[in-house]
Each structure stands twice: as structure tokens, then as C-alpha cells.
Amino acid sequence: MRPVRLATTPLVLAGMAACAAALHAAPAAGADAVPGPVAAWRDLRFGMFIHWGPVAIKGTEIGWSRGAQVPADVYDGLYRQFNPEQFDADAWAKAAADAGMKYLVITAKHHDGFCLWPSKVTDYHIGNSPFKRDVLKELAAACKRHGVRFGAYYSICDWHHPDYPLDSPGGRKQKAQSDMPRYVAYLKAQTRELIEGYGPLVTMWFDGEWEQPWTREMGNDLYAYLKRLQPDLTVNNRVSKGRRGMEGVTKDAHLNAGDYDTPEQRVGGFNRARPWETCMTLCNQWAWKPNDGMKSREECLRTLLRTAGGDGNLLFNVGPMPDGRIEPRQVERLREMGAWLAKHGEGVYGTRGGPFKPGRWGAATCKENKVFLFIMKWPEEGPLRLPAIPAKVLAHRTTSGGAASVEQTSEGIAVSLPAADRDPVASVVELTVEGKAFDIPPAAVGAAGASLAAQKPAKASNVYQNSGEFGPEKAVDGDPETRWATDAGTTSAWLEVDLGQPVAIGRVAIDECVDFGPRVRRFEVQVKEEEAWKSVLTGAAIGAGFEKQISPVTARFVRLRVLDASDGPTIREFGVFKP
């Protein structure tokens, strides 16, 4: 079956200029200057993403496997045998609620064009499958019963629709005939059906905007159109053309519509100025795949905490099976997350990221006069040291077990907790501060923060492709997301920092980037005495979050020497601290 063609009208793309008011409705200034509906969506923090459709029969990726692993004609005919008799909307909504998820977004229509509701403008939908039932109607009602907000994913590109110019595999094939204005009319008719038939929606989650047929003008016009239908609707940045790859950050936000950014399969960087949401899979594939690898309980929860600590939301994906059930092992993993959040969710929901930026050490959130520390990696020796803040710590308590010690001085905040009391996911320490916690300026922790090397002049023996993006200053900039990197094949290198004047040093912290596996096999830290370099620390592997106390020494110049590496060493942060 093919989608029903809508008549072309000369006004399909009219009103694009009028969208400017909706596009610029959100205040541009201020870290918290977002509209009320977007702020309310941000407070939810944790949602369930669902990728599902007839493709579950094959166990291949939704949309992308059409015309690739599965011939297009075979893929398009899968709905004729799609009969998920064990689909239970209440079981799905309950799984989300039990996980501590506050909203749910399902693929109402993916790139393959199949609709999980009986759309009036196409016959390629669930109502014409053996199953026949309206999945969206049942799921929206179930979400309401379980206190979960309901949202819809909708793909802008549609490789199945005859009027859309591109075809499978992956939109790389041009159709002989197409009619983009008529397709835009179809798209608007369907999104209107979703809002009026299943709303109010918490969000409309677009995708597929990267393809050439879609323009910024079309996206901005669609955004304004949807806001007229439901003024409190939140819409992601993929409605327009501003998204920058899988990083998901919007470029030229003043020109491109969208209420929040969408980093994909990665935790976004710390950003309080613009709302964002990481979308990530619980397993590896978006749609269901037999025996797919699944993330551990620890990895799942830490991903959520680092996301909230960066001031973002997490939309965590499951792919239900062909029979309509979410895999029991996935349901159990979600239940485990919910059990942990039932104890510690106060530091997740309705909070803002910071004031301590996420890093290998963990993450922090804040609300009113509270700061919630989620400590995931403790130093090998001594307390966790946080940078100084311009607010007095009035009280503290440990909510994850044991009794933490918190000491605040002009140099910073030292947090200790006996090893036996540390939570395997994250030790949770709540600080009560004087004034509003959100007003505390954000600061990095660990090798950054109070490091004597922070922002000091640095030089290196080698820089990856001589690129400023990976220069030596990136290892002392206080940003755990940047790094000093060296050329492939480099097995030894050095990084030197000028501290400006002789200072006393008693501790070293090094955060090696291990995204590509740990590479350093032998290293030393040196200080310059007169014109000679003296070794003050030697070791083998560094890894992420290395920290070591040394015998106090006074020096102006300090150097990290990588003596042996399996490949080009790369360091996120190199810090030295007072004794």
C-alpha cells in the first residue's frame, strides 16, 4: 500500500515569515531564560524513548535497514504480518514509571514511513495490519494512568512516501518523481493528527531534517504551525537545520527553530544556557535486536547522573520485541534504575546542573539551597577536593550510606567517606549552602578547579596534526571535555606548564582520555630546578582520574613526560596542587 496523495495548494509553505515571532519567543539572555513549558519539560529530567514497528520482525535497525539488510519491497510488506498480540500499553507505561521516567516518546513514524496510528492521510499504518489496534491511543491513555507524560517522535524524511524526493537505502537514492510541497502538506496533516488526536503532547521529537529536501524555512514554518496548534508544546532542534551532527548542538539558534538540543548516543557537555536532551540506547540498536548487548546498571545510572549534572535530560531508548513486549531483561534493568532513584531522585528531578561540572569524579546538581554531589570516582589517596565556592556550607548529610566528612576552607571543599560506605553507583552527599545554590558560578573538579596549572601557559613536544583544537593548553583549561592530543604513532611526548612563579606542590592529578583505550604505559612528572629537570613522580599506566600525593616541592616549571605509550597519548587534564 502507498500513502494517499494530498492535493497541492499554493499556500503550503506560506506564512514562513510569520514564524519569526514564535522562533524568537524565548528570551535570549540569562542562564534560566526559557519559556515555562520548556522549563517544566526540563524538570522531568528522565524519559523513555521507544523505537518500534514492523521491522521488529526482522530484528534489524528501524528505517536504516530498508533497502540495505532488508530489500525495500520486503521491508514495506512486513506490516502485513505484524501482529504483536502481547502488546500491553499499561505494561510499557508501568515500566517507564517504575524506572523513574517522567515522560515517554514513541516513534509514531520513522524514516520508513509506517505509522503507529490509523492516519487519515495514508493507508500505510497500524490499522491495516493484522493487529489493527491504535497503539498511540492505547499508550497515551496508559501513560496518563501511570503519571507519565506522552510525546511523539516524527521523522521529517520518509523514504517510503512517493512525494518525498529521496529513497532507501539511507536516503541515498533519488526518486524519479516527487512533490515536496505536497509532501509538506502531508507532514503537516499528520503532525496535526498527532496533536489533536493524542495530545496535549509533552514534546514533538523530530528527526531526519539533515536531508537536502528539508530547508530552514520549512522547519521554522512547521515550528510556528505546531505552536499555534498547541502553544505549550516543546519541539526539539531537529525541526529546523541548526543541529551540528550527533553532537546535537544548535548552530545559529537565532535563525533555527527548536526549544532544545539533541546530542545522540553521548552525554552532552555542561550547558545551562540552552536546554538539551541526550538520546541514548539501553542496548546497542535503537530497534529490537536479538541478544543485543545491554548497558550495566551502573553505566545506566551514571549516564543519567552525568546528564543531569550537565543540566540536560536523558531520553533512554528501548526497542520492544515483535510480540509487543519490552524484553524482560530490559524491564528489569529499568526497574533497578527506578529502585535507586526512589532513594536519590531528589537530586535529579527538578534540579539544575552544577555548580560543580561533571567529570570522571562524578556530577552535581542543585535546587534552592541544596547541592547534590554524586561521587563516582574517589581519589586513590585523601579526600575528594572540590574548588572553592562563594557560599558557606551550612550543613551536609549522606543519603547513600555512611557518614561523610565535609571540610570547607578558602582553598576549597574536601569530602571524605570511608571506602566501605561508598555506593557502587555513586555516593550521594547533600550540601546545604547559604543562599541559592544555582547562583554559585560553575566550576570544574579534579585536575581542574584549584589546580595551580589551571589556565597557565603550556607547551608540548607534539600536537595532533598541529591543530589548535588539541593544543597543550587544552590540558590545563579546566574543561574535562577538551584534551591535549598527539599524532598517531607517537610513543613518547611531554607537556610543560609554566606556573608563573615558584609555588609549593604536594599533589598531582592526571586525567588521561581513555575513549580509545588507555595508551600510557610509563610516565613521570618532573619539576625544573635551576636548569635541570628532576623527577618527583614515576608510574606505569595513568588512566582516567589518576591522582597521587608527592613529597612537597617548590617549583615554577612542571612537566609531564610520557615515556612509553601504545599510541599517541592524549590527556584531558593535567593538574598540580598545593600540599
Side-chain angles (χ1 to χ4, degrees):
M1 296 183 180
R2 306 295 288 179
V4 176
R5 290 177 179 265
L6 297 183
T8 305
T9 70
L11 298 178
V12 164
L13 300 180
M16 291 180 180
C19 79
L23 177 58
H24 300 295
D32 199 19
V34 299
V38 181
W41 163 86
R42 184 178 56 198
D43 282 347
L44 301 177
R45 280 300 182 221
F46 190 26
M48 175 181 280
F49 213 0
I50 300 176
H51 279 62
W52 192 53
V55 71
I57 294 171
K58 291 292 186 181
T60 56
E61 190 60 282
I62 190 168
W64 293 98
S65 63
R66 180 181 185 266
Q69 294 91 338
V70 184
D73 59 339
V74 174
Y75 190 109
D76 293 347
L78 290 174
Y79 78 100
R80 296 189 180 95
Q81 51 182 304
F82 189 50
N83 191 21
E85 293 182 334
Q86 294 192 58
F87 168 71
D88 182 343
D90 275 293
W92 286 18
K94 184 177 186 299
D98 288 349
M101 293 164 162
K102 304 300 183 183
Y103 62 110
L104 180 153
V105 179
I106 186 171
T107 51
K109 188 200 78 167
H110 203 266
H111 311 331
D112 58 16
F114 184 78
C115 303
L116 288 177
W117 82 100
S119 174
K120 294 180 174 62
V121 293
T122 182
D123 54 13
Y124 191 46
H125 61 67
I126 193 73
N128 289 321
S129 72
F131 190 59
K132 298 188 182 301
R133 288 156 51 186
D134 186 342
V135 168
L136 297 194
K137 181 178 181 181
E138 294 184 29
L139 191 55
C143 283
K144 189 173 184 179
R145 287 192 291 273
H146 289 273
V148 176
R149 298 290 303 278
F150 182 71
Y153 166 111
Y154 186 92
S155 173
I156 287 170
C157 69
D158 188 332
W159 302 323
H160 175 273
H161 196 286
D163 286 330
Y164 188 75
L166 302 181
D167 204 342
S168 298
R172 297 192 297 272
K173 183 179 177 182
Q174 192 79 29
K175 291 175 183 170
Q177 292 183 329
S178 62
D179 189 328
M180 193 62 184
R182 188 158 53 191
Y183 176 72
V184 172
Y186 169 80
L187 184 156
K188 283 189 171 182
Q190 287 207 314
T191 51
R192 185 181 189 110
E193 285 182 349
L194 291 172
I195 288 175
E196 294 183 347
Y198 307 96
L201 303 177
V202 65
T203 190
M204 183 75 80
W205 211 102
F206 288 99
D207 198 8
E209 88 294 350
W210 66 83
E211 293 195 328
Q212 183 273 333
W214 193 248
T215 67
R216 173 187 293 167
E217 290 76 20
M218 291 175 184
N220 292 353
D221 175 56
L222 177 60
Y223 176 89
Y225 169 77
L226 297 173
K227 291 287 188 173
R228 289 194 294 270
L229 293 175
Q230 185 186 321
D232 65 350
L233 179 71
T234 60
V235 181
N236 70 345
N237 65 341
R238 302 189 187 195
V239 70
S240 191
K241 300 290 281 192
R243 176 171 63 117
R244 188 170 59 198
M246 296 306 175
E247 183 183 351
V249 176
T250 299
K251 181 180 179 182
D252 298 327
H254 63 292
L255 298 176
N256 293 283
D259 297 316
Y260 59 92
D261 292 347
T262 52
E264 182 170 330
Q265 294 288 40
R266 67 194 70 192
V267 175
F270 184 88
N271 188 349
R272 282 176 163 182
R274 180 171 169 84
W276 58 274
E277 174 191 68
T278 280
C279 58
M280 186 178 289
T281 52
L282 172 58
C283 291
N284 294 320
Q285 188 167 276
W286 291 99
W288 179 75
K289 177 182 179 181
N291 303 312
D292 201 3
M294 186 172 69
K295 293 177 175 65
S296 67
R297 166 180 174 267
E298 178 183 277
E299 185 178 0
C300 291
L301 283 163
R302 288 184 171 184
T303 296
L304 172 60
L305 297 176
R306 286 197 170 100
T307 301
D311 210 29
N313 285 21
L314 176 64
L315 191 60
F316 212 31
N317 182 79
V318 297
M321 299 185 294
D323 64 9
R325 293 177 301 144
I326 300 174
E327 272 191 324
R329 64 179 182 135
Q330 295 187 32
V331 173
E332 176 59 19
R333 179 67 78 246
L334 296 176
R335 188 200 64 76
E336 290 172 348
M337 294 184 73
W340 196 90
L341 288 167
K343 299 177 181 178
H344 309 298
E346 183 184 358
V348 175
Y349 309 112
T351 62
R352 300 299 306 275
F356 305 109
K357 294 181 180 180
R360 305 290 177 181
W361 71 277
T365 61
C366 59
K367 178 179 5 182
E368 299 171 348
N369 66 337
K370 305 290 186 184
V371 174
F372 303 91
L373 305 176
F374 298 101
I375 305 170
M376 304 171 198
K377 184 176 179 59
W378 293 87
E380 291 184 10
E381 298 177 357
L384 172 70
R385 299 179 186 275
L386 306 174
I389 58 174
K392 184 178 180 180
V393 177
L394 302 175
H396 71 273
R397 68 187 185 109
T398 312
T399 65
S400 57
S405 169
V406 176
E407 181 182 358
Q408 183 180 29
T409 68
S410 60
E411 300 295 326
I413 301 171
V415 183
S416 301
L417 184 66
D421 294 330
R422 296 172 185 174
D423 189 284
V425 173
S427 299
V428 186
V429 179
E430 176 190 306
L431 308 179
T432 301
V433 299
E434 194 172 49
K436 293 184 178 180
F438 184 74
D439 292 338
I440 299 171
V445 176
S451 169
L452 301 169
Q455 308 297 332
K456 295 296 192 297
K459 58 184 180 180
S461 60
N462 181 282
V463 173
Y464 179 74
Q465 296 184 351
N466 291 318
S467 170
E469 183 180 355
F470 300 103
E473 68 279 359
K474 301 299 182 181
V476 291
D477 64 357
D479 185 348
E481 301 300 320
T482 62
R483 58 193 171 96
W484 163 55
T486 56
D487 287 319
T490 302
T491 58
S492 63
W494 54 260
L495 171 75
E496 180 182 327
V497 185
D498 180 356
L499 303 180
Q501 61 183 359
V503 293
I505 300 169
R507 184 165 54 93
V508 173
I510 312 170
D511 190 14
E512 181 184 3
C513 175
V514 295
D515 293 356
F516 318 102
R519 295 178 173 180
V520 177
R521 296 187 290 213
R522 193 162 56 92
F523 75 97
E524 68 174 340
V525 176
Q526 301 175 309
V527 296
K528 183 180 281 189
E529 291 186 347
E530 296 181 350
E531 294 302 315
W533 287 100
K534 172 188 174 183
S535 180
V536 295
L537 174 66
T538 60
I542 295 177
F546 173 88
E547 198 163 344
K548 195 79 171 178
Q549 291 180 335
I550 63 172
S551 297
V553 60
T554 298
R556 172 178 172 177
F557 295 95
V558 61
R559 183 166 73 174
L560 167 65
R561 286 187 68 206
V562 176
L563 303 172
D564 183 31
S566 59
D567 202 350
T570 179
I571 303 296
R572 292 193 182 279
E573 288 294 323
F574 172 57
V576 292
F577 302 81
K578 293 181 179 180

